Amino acid sequence: MSDLDLTLLHAALSGIPSLDRSSLLPALHAVQKIYGYIPEAAAAEIAALLGVPLAEVYGVIDFYAMFYREPTARRVLRVCSDPACALKGAETLLQAACDHYSVAADEPTPDGGLMVERSPCLGLCEHAPAVLIEETALGGVTIGGMLQAVENPHIGLPIGPGSRLGGDLHLLTANIGRGRPTSLQEYLDGGGYRGLRAALQTSPGEVIEQVKQAGLVGRGGAAFPTGLKLQGAASAPGEPKYIVCNADESEPGTFKDRVLLEEDPQRVLEGMLIAAYAIGAHQGYVYIRGEYPYAGLVMAQAIEAARQAGYLGVRVLGSDFSFDVELRMGAGAYICGEETALFESIEGKRGFPRLKPPFPTTNGLFGQPTAINNVETLCNLPHILEHGPQAYRAIGTEKSPGPKLFCVSGDVLRPGLYEVPFGVTLRHLLYDLAGGLPDGAALQAVLFGGAAGAFATAAHLDLPLTFEDLRSAGLPLGSGVVMVFDQSRDLRDVLLRLGRFFAHESCGKCYPCQIGTQRQHEILQRVAGGLTLPGDLERLQDVGWTMSDASICGLGQTAAAAVLSAIQIWPEIFLPVNQE
């Protein structure tokens, strides 16, 4: 490719804010959008422009599943095959696409026009089965609809699938349900940015104190107190400080952040502004997973609208506080949902997690004090600052205050995003709100927390949905995944898909996870195929415990959680057939 037209390349890079290593991911995205892959000459030019060794540029390209070094196909059809979509016929869709184009999965057609990819979760679980055709997401698709969409691509902007919404509350979801992004004016008309105005009228320390009094904890799975995180970053020595919105929502079964990003982007920005004011940050980043191109488009437009209206930039709303935001799109790496791996990705490196300590509040993005929160967590801040911590604590329970978003998918009549106060029961969520199981089917299991979660059964239906009650029952709240399986489902297949997900997504930095996820997947293949060997149950436990105890980040530490949970409840499914 020595004759590559560098004019196109330079034009594509002209819109990137700064030509340094932190612009590597935007640069690679821009180049791939032009050529369909990243040619050798383009990689070399990027390396020279950004001052990054070419070998390290290739290391980044090879790390992310959505970047290609060699010509593949002009268009890619990604078919989600993780559990929620598999329940709704994803394998049939995948096979139909392969048969129609006479290709195997993950191989391009002979003319290079199309590649059909087996994809990990696309975050469209309430619309299962789902596909992604370039930048167009389609949910609830039939074989005919999928093929028609491939042959007749949408012209213009990609179309978001909209949300399916329900619940007992509409605080975080007040602007959800229009099927389109809420404009800045609509957000303001509904009371938007009142929380920011209230924050700017008090001190940063008082903002942190209100968040602490409200009892808000992280909604991404770790449940770390948000006020303490803000306090830690605020008090840490070093400048500049950063606010990062973790929108790399990649957990199978999770789609809440996607809905907030696509339909209420200004609320996300307001939460970031409040957090930035509290810690003294003047720069923020929103990191969105690569499989959410529509959410990325919406957020880019929302950032510009907020900037033009004076909500971002120098002297926000005429105050002495200045803050701006950059958008970063991932490129297909679940590990980048881990906070330190996300920092590495923004910095233009492979998304390897860092050893902790030190922690992000003292040594985060670019080695500086950083507060990183997921989308749902940040969306709670405007309500707390506008109405006060006591009003917030009046929702939910004493130990689990506030509203919570649950992502309900699988075998229910009304899959969707449900906002409820902490403390409602699983029965209320599944039967009163989501309509119960189709055709009166019996409940077999509920997967809580996603791929890294654990299983509940009908015995847990009256369990209150709080951090403390779920913890006492050995169940993780996680990111709010509630995936339902009726009695007809083969849990061996579900576990195999979870095992394949972790084997595919392990970054390989630490040996226990790198090897453990592969061994777990191999054993689960035998289990699902009815070829279980004597001792496989014990092997799964040994591998699972080793990963949990010895992996350096949350991916490996929880990669066996669902399997170990299933072993406790249904040990018979892991035994050889003649031993069941």
Side-chain angles (χ1 to χ4, degrees):
M1 298 292 295
S2 58
D3 57 346
L4 187 73
D5 185 356
L6 296 181
T7 304
L8 289 174
L9 172 61
H10 290 151
L13 298 181
S14 64
I16 294 174
S18 59
L19 290 180
D20 56 29
R21 180 158 193 158
S22 68
S23 296
L24 181 53
L25 252 65
L28 293 175
H29 276 298
V31 169
Q32 184 158 290
K33 193 164 187 177
I34 296 173
Y35 305 107
Y37 72 109
I38 300 166
E40 181 179 345
E45 187 70 9
I46 288 173
L49 287 172
L50 303 188
V52 180
L54 182 58
E56 295 186 23
V57 172
Y58 278 125
V60 170
I61 294 170
D62 291 342
F63 183 84
Y64 295 94
M66 300 178 77
F67 287 146
Y68 305 104
R69 286 177 58 174
E70 303 292 338
T72 51
R74 290 184 293 278
R75 304 180 66 218
V76 180
L77 165 63
R78 294 181 170 91
V79 182
C80 177
S81 61
D82 275 346
C85 284
L87 295 179
K88 305 298 182 181
E91 288 297 333
T92 301
L93 277 181
L94 182 64
Q95 190 58 51
C98 290
D99 291 345
H100 183 80
Y101 293 104
S102 301
V103 294
D106 304 321
E107 291 183 4
T109 55
D111 65 355
L114 181 75
M115 182 163 64
V116 180
E117 278 193 355
R118 176 188 293 276
S119 173
C121 182
L122 295 173
L124 297 164
C125 314
E126 82 275 42
H127 296 288
V131 301
L132 183 65
I133 307 170
E134 295 301 290
E135 295 187 343
T136 301
L138 300 173
V141 292
T142 61
I143 294 173
M146 174 185 66
L147 297 177
Q148 183 179 20
V150 172
E151 299 297 333
N152 302 284
H154 292 289
I155 298 175
L157 298 179
I159 298 173
S163 61
R164 292 178 179 174
L165 183 68
D168 300 319
L169 297 172
H170 294 289
L171 301 177
L172 302 180
T173 56
N175 295 322
I176 306 299
R178 293 183 171 96
R180 59 172 175 79
T182 299
S183 70
L184 174 58
Q185 189 58 53
E186 288 171 328
Y187 186 65
L188 294 172
D189 291 344
Y193 285 106
R194 289 179 185 170
L196 174 62
R197 292 181 184 275
L200 293 176
Q201 292 172 6
T202 187
S203 68
E206 177 57 27
V207 171
I208 293 173
E209 189 59 32
Q210 289 192 48
V211 176
K212 289 169 65 177
Q213 291 177 9
L216 174 65
V217 301
R219 301 299 199 241
F224 188 84
T226 305
L228 289 180
K229 182 180 288 188
L230 295 177
Q231 184 179 57
S235 61
E239 293 288 344
K241 301 178 190 291
Y242 294 99
I243 288 292
V244 176
C245 174
N246 184 347
D248 192 62
E249 176 184 60
S250 307
E251 187 79 27
T254 311
F255 47 86
K256 60 187 176 64
D257 290 353
R258 188 206 86 233
V259 174
L260 292 170
L261 291 165
E262 291 180 350
E263 299 199 29
D264 201 6
Q266 295 296 337
R267 189 181 303 273
V268 182
L269 293 177
E270 185 178 5
M272 292 184 70
L273 279 155
I274 292 169
Y277 176 72
I279 73 167
H282 302 295
Q283 179 65 44
Y285 290 85
V286 181
Y287 187 99
I288 300 177
R289 67 180 301 210
E291 292 87 349
Y292 283 0
Y294 180 66
L297 174 70
V298 169
M299 281 304 301
Q301 294 173 341
I303 290 168
E304 185 58 28
R307 190 179 289 135
Q308 292 297 323
Y311 292 94
L312 290 174
V314 179
R315 297 181 61 83
V316 171
L317 297 180
S319 70
D320 292 331
F321 168 60
S322 300
F323 180 72
D324 214 335
V325 171
E326 285 190 33
L327 177 65
R328 285 289 186 273
M329 296 298 298
Y334 169 71
I335 188 61
C336 288
E338 196 278 334
E339 56 190 13
T340 62
L342 187 151
F343 297 153
E344 294 284 296
S345 187
I346 291 177
E347 293 173 15
K349 305 169 188 173
R350 291 177 290 178
F352 283 149
R354 302 172 184 170
L355 290 172
K356 292 186 286 190
F359 295 100
T361 50
T362 59
N363 298 77
L365 184 63
F366 304 116
Q368 297 299 123
T370 303
I372 177 170
N373 293 102
N374 83 325
V375 173
E376 184 187 355
T377 306
L378 291 166
C379 285
N380 278 267
L381 295 180
H383 183 85
I384 293 172
L385 268 295
E386 179 183 357
H387 299 284
Q390 296 310 312
Y392 186 83
R393 293 197 73 94
I395 305 165
T397 68
E398 180 181 356
K399 294 183 178 179
S400 296
K404 180 71 188 84
L405 300 178
F406 285 97
C407 308
V408 181
S409 63
D411 292 321
V412 290
L413 283 173
R414 295 190 291 271
L417 183 65
Y418 290 87
E419 183 179 1
V420 297
F422 277 112
V424 303
T425 64
L426 177 59
R427 186 186 302 276
H428 175 66
L429 179 64
L430 294 188
Y431 289 90
D432 298 337
L433 299 179
L437 281 66
D439 303 319
L443 175 67
Q444 178 179 194
V446 176
L447 180 61
F448 268 98
F455 288 99
T457 67
H460 296 95
L461 282 172
D462 294 312
L463 183 69
L465 298 178
T466 67
F467 285 107
E468 61 272 18
D469 288 294
L470 288 170
R471 192 179 300 116
S472 66
L475 295 169
L477 182 68
S479 54
V481 171
V482 177
M483 194 180 298
V484 182
F485 304 93
D486 68 29
Q487 286 286 2
S488 71
R489 304 302 185 180
D490 184 355
L491 293 183
R492 296 177 177 92
D493 181 72
V494 175
L495 292 169
L496 174 60
R497 293 176 189 278
L498 297 179
R500 180 173 62 203
F501 172 80
F502 282 112
H504 178 266
E505 297 294 342
S506 174
C507 74
K509 180 173 182 176
C510 72
Y511 189 79
C513 178
Q514 179 191 48
I515 301 300
T517 53
Q518 298 297 327
R519 297 294 86 79
Q520 177 176 261
H521 182 223
E522 290 168 4
I523 299 170
L524 291 173
Q525 284 180 306
R526 294 199 293 268
V527 171
L531 303 173
T532 310
L533 299 175
D536 273 349
L537 185 150
E538 291 77 15
R539 292 185 191 94
L540 278 174
Q541 290 177 312
D542 287 345
V543 168
W545 292 332
T546 300
M547 288 194 290
S548 301
D549 292 341
S551 298
I552 69 170
C553 86
L555 189 155
Q557 292 163 10
T558 59
V563 175
L564 294 175
S565 169
I567 288 173
Q568 285 187 319
I569 304 171
W570 307 284
E572 65 278 2
I573 71 176
F574 300 94
L575 298 175
V577 175
N578 60 1
Q579 293 185 26
E580 292 185 7

